[in-house]
Amino acid sequence: MGVFGLLGSGNLGNDGSLEAVLQYLRAEHPDAVVDALCGGPEAVTARYGIPATRLHWFRGEYRTASRAGAVAGKALGKVVDAARTAAWVRRHDVVIVPGMGVLEATLPLRPWGFPYALFLLCASGRALRTPVALVGVGAAPIRDRATRALVRWSGQLAAYRSYRDELSRTALRSMGVDTSRDEVYPDLAFALPTPPASAAPGQVCVGVMDFHGGNDDRAGAEEIHRRYLDGTTRFVRALVEDGRRVRLLTGDDCDAPVVAAILAAVDSPLVTASDAASLADLMREAADAESVVATRYHNLVCALKAGTPTLALSYAAKSDALMDRMGLGPYRHPAREIDVDQLLVQFRELEKHAVELRKTLTERNREAADQLRAQFERLTLALFPAAAHDARREAP
């Protein structure tokens, strides 16, 4: 078994998706031998105890190349990675891409980075007859032609596809992929254990993000970031002026400067920063809060999974779809244009209806758990037919 993606690279959502798949494999297929081709092999091996190989031969893959040597290194790396990926795939019976927004470009993304790496994986899988499964992945409409082509080819070459929302399935269908046999399930992180609820009176978690807009917003990225940071800072300051304790959450290493800027601007002992290193840590932080206001998709997932009333600072349709699925559709606000006065009105409405919202989340989380059990059963049928046959024979 191989697992593939930008894992161990500092994004807690990606790693949480991996953790959910490893949990499934260890419970249902304990004899499976698992390793990874990923962005941060050292971190994956240290945290999850599986062997891991670096995704890209060229170590500066995700840094902007300006010098001739770096440009040449990146170009050579594309050729070397094709051979390395094929050799890695050849050693496996099955490869799983666990969740993540691997078929979208809602954040800045170059086609010859991860989209190219995913295409190499899926093409190698098809050529070498090693099934590649895209499990619970996210997709979105893509305007850039090269990125869209690579994503479409990857989807067409995969042996199994499932999605974390209907928007993702629709997006891939619009790119020309036949999705008629594909299913939609909740995000994989909903399969992780739920922490006990222990809300601290008055505490609000605010999940922040190094937000600069999407792939099509590069020209205005700095202005988008400035407005987002200003609006988030003003919201945190308003909470502090009301005497509320604020806990700042992140979901990626790159979010740290945003936390530092807010701490410096507000300068209050009521504002502290979490050092969460996993989705489990984020869920515990959310469970300890009366309410959560968050931007990153998996900050939202963690808060909703913890059963805490949550308001989304939404930057993409996937966040809106998640809030709708969990019954909190009205509680969202645009991350691009934060109106602090309106955000405070929505926040107070959220807290006013906290009791009924917690009941709604309990029901929706129960449904999500049932749906993910069905997802893993179908995955076993698709990828491990012999194991599924044996299980049916042993069933009473």
Side-chain angles (χ1 to χ4, degrees), residues 14 26 89-91 117-118 122 136 143 150 157 159 165 178 206 212 215 273 276 284 292 306 308 313-314 319 354 376:
N14 292 358
R26 287 164 177 165
V89 169
R90 187 188 299 275
R91 299 197 301 268
L118 182 65
C122 295
R143 292 178 58 185
L150 288 166
L157 292 166
D165 51 47
D178 180 5
V206 177
H212 291 77
N215 209 43
R284 282 190 288 271
V292 174
T308 303
L313 289 176
S314 177
S319 299
F376 290 133

Side-chain angles (χ1 to χ4, degrees), residues 132-198:
V132 173
L134 307 180
V135 181
V137 297
I142 298 172
R143 292 178 58 185
D144 180 78
R145 293 178 63 183
T147 304
R148 187 170 64 249
L150 288 166
V151 165
R152 180 177 68 251
W153 296 335
S154 297
Q156 290 170 333
L157 292 166
Y160 173 93
R161 295 175 300 268
S162 65
Y163 311 94
R164 65 189 180 192
D165 51 47
E166 182 58 46
L167 290 172
S168 297
R169 180 165 61 180
T170 301
L172 206 58
R173 183 187 303 125
S174 72
M175 296 181 210
V177 178
D178 180 5
T179 63
S180 59
R181 302 177 68 179
D182 302 349
E183 298 289 341
V184 174
Y185 300 97
D187 189 88
L188 288 171
F190 282 101
L192 296 173
T194 304
S198 57

Side-chain angles (χ1 to χ4, degrees), residues 4 82 85-97 117-133 153-154 156-160:
F4 175 95
T85 301
W88 182 80
V89 169
R90 187 188 299 275
R91 299 197 301 268
H92 295 85
D93 298 305
V94 174
V95 174
I96 292 177
V97 180
L118 182 65
F119 166 71
L120 290 180
L121 174 80
C122 295
S124 297
R126 177 65 65 89
L128 298 168
R129 298 185 179 181
T130 299
V132 173
W153 296 335
S154 297
Q156 290 170 333
L157 292 166
Y160 173 93

Side-chain angles (χ1 to χ4, degrees), residues 220-260:
E222 290 309 314
E223 176 60 19
I224 290 171
H225 180 68
R226 185 196 64 76
R227 291 199 305 266
Y228 170 77
L229 179 59
D230 177 67
T232 308
T233 301
R234 289 171 58 208
F235 176 66
V236 170
R237 185 179 290 117
L239 292 176
V240 169
E241 288 172 355
D242 282 345
R244 303 298 293 270
R245 289 183 295 109
V246 177
R247 187 79 161 156
L248 299 178
L249 308 180
T250 62
D252 194 294
D253 291 347
C254 69
D255 300 332
V258 178
V259 171

